[in-house]
Amino acid sequence: MLTKLAEAADKDIAAGTMRDMILVNPDAFTKYSGSMYSSSPTTGDWESYIADDLVAYVDRHYRTIANRMSRGLGGHSMGGYGTIRIGMKRPDVFSSLYIMSACCLMNAPFPANGNRGAGPRGEGARAEGAGAEGARGEGARGEGQGRGRGGFGNVQAALAAAFSPNPKNPPDFFDNPTKDGELQPLVVAKWAAASPLAMIDQYVTNLKKYGAIMGEVGTQDGLAAANRQMDQIFTNFGISHTFETYDGDHTNRVVERIEQKVLPFFSKNLKR
């Protein structure tokens, strides 16, 4: 597992940098690998699964403190995207957020003619950071273990299934942002609407309800610019948060950051 979450928790507890906590590590993979933690009739309502179904299940079956002040949400890459996406909408469920190297903060498809990143059936589509440096499937599970059609090499299919689903369009049941080499304005608009950088100003009131928000990204990460932009937007709107950059790329220090930053952050900020 990319994060080595259990091992990091054991080390932190032994070192006294983390109190006992219940760690929940959900599987958010679909046939296209990544769910993007979105609500889609094609791949499922992952927003409600995380914020409602999973929380309710854990509260019923484990000795939790069933209160938002004792729940946090965090993730890396696709999981970072899910953290800010769900976090903006659900301060009634969570009180602390840790956003690690979030992918897909700005989703901008482009025409297929000679451009980067052939999508499904050769049709070009791109989301910021969704590629070699971006959403490789390190969500809440953090495993990066591509399942389905070629792992997160299927990133375009995963994004289309999440952002532009179409139950009337078999066999994939999603719409591509391009058709016959031309951008489809409605589909492009749907992708843009799923971009956290374009959504934050709609959820400022919600984000100000959080007791603690932390963001981070490696300086050599291809997602650094977009994550820094998120930090600046938070600052512009007066959203209390902390943001750090560190010497590293998208994955090479994730285990260390989980142990030294993420788990101590939640231990400090979640109420007992």
Side-chain angles (χ1 to χ4, degrees):
M1 180 178 287
L2 174 67
T3 62
K4 297 185 178 178
L5 187 60
E7 181 180 329
D10 288 343
K11 289 181 179 179
D12 282 346
I13 290 173
T17 56
M18 169 186 157
R19 300 174 302 181
D20 290 352
M21 292 189 292
I22 297 173
L23 304 177
V24 182
N25 217 20
D27 185 338
F29 279 77
T30 70
K31 69 175 290 186
Y32 301 115
S33 296
S35 68
M36 308 310 301
Y37 297 96
S38 300
S39 179
S40 164
T42 295
T43 52
D45 184 356
W46 293 90
E47 289 186 356
S48 295
Y49 166 70
I50 295 294
D52 295 320
D53 301 344
L54 185 60
V55 168
Y57 179 89
V58 173
D59 281 344
R60 284 196 309 268
H61 291 83
Y62 296 89
R63 191 163 54 92
T64 66
I65 303 172
N67 185 288
R68 65 174 292 269
M69 297 305 297
S70 298
R71 296 192 202 102
L73 185 65
H76 172 260
S77 193
M78 185 183 81
Y81 172 85
T83 298
I84 181 59
R85 180 188 174 105
I86 297 173
M88 284 190 288
K89 301 177 182 183
R90 300 305 302 268
D92 59 313
V93 179
F94 307 102
S95 65
S96 299
L97 303 176
Y98 202 115
I99 307 161
M100 304 177 72
S101 306
C103 82
C104 310
L105 292 174
M106 191 67 223
N107 303 306
F110 56 82
N113 303 331
N115 286 298
R116 297 182 288 167
R121 300 197 179 104
E123 301 193 17
R126 173 179 64 89
E128 170 277 318
E133 281 293 316
R136 294 184 182 176
E138 302 100 346
R141 281 181 68 89
E143 298 181 12
Q145 57 175 34
R147 285 186 264 180
R149 303 187 311 183
F152 240 77
N154 293 328
V155 64
Q156 316 303 346
L159 294 168
F163 301 155
S164 50
N166 184 351
K168 302 294 185 182
N169 187 19
D172 293 320
F173 303 102
F174 56 71
D175 292 330
N176 283 303
T178 60
K179 184 176 182 180
D180 300 325
E182 298 295 327
L183 285 172
Q184 304 300 298
L186 179 57
V187 178
V188 171
K190 290 179 179 180
W191 281 45
S195 303
L197 294 186
M199 298 165 65
I200 291 172
D201 59 348
Q202 303 171 51
Y203 294 98
V204 170
T205 300
N206 280 356
L207 286 164
K208 287 186 176 181
K209 294 177 181 178
Y210 280 88
I213 300 175
M214 178 76 184
E216 65 168 44
V217 71
T219 54
Q220 286 83 54
D221 193 331
L223 309 183
N227 279 264
R228 286 191 179 106
Q229 190 173 2
M230 179 178 65
D231 165 46
Q232 187 60 55
I233 293 172
F234 282 171
T235 299
N236 292 346
F237 282 107
I239 298 166
S240 180
H241 72 291
T242 304
F243 184 80
E244 290 185 1
T245 59
Y246 58 88
D247 184 18
D249 59 29
H250 191 60
T251 58
N252 70 335
R253 294 185 64 187
V254 172
V255 172
E256 174 189 334
R257 300 295 293 186
I258 291 281
E259 178 185 335
Q260 297 182 3
K261 295 291 184 175
V262 178
L263 295 179
F265 166 85
F266 286 119
S267 182
K268 174 183 177 181
N269 290 292
L270 297 182
K271 302 300 183 183
R272 296 189 68 173

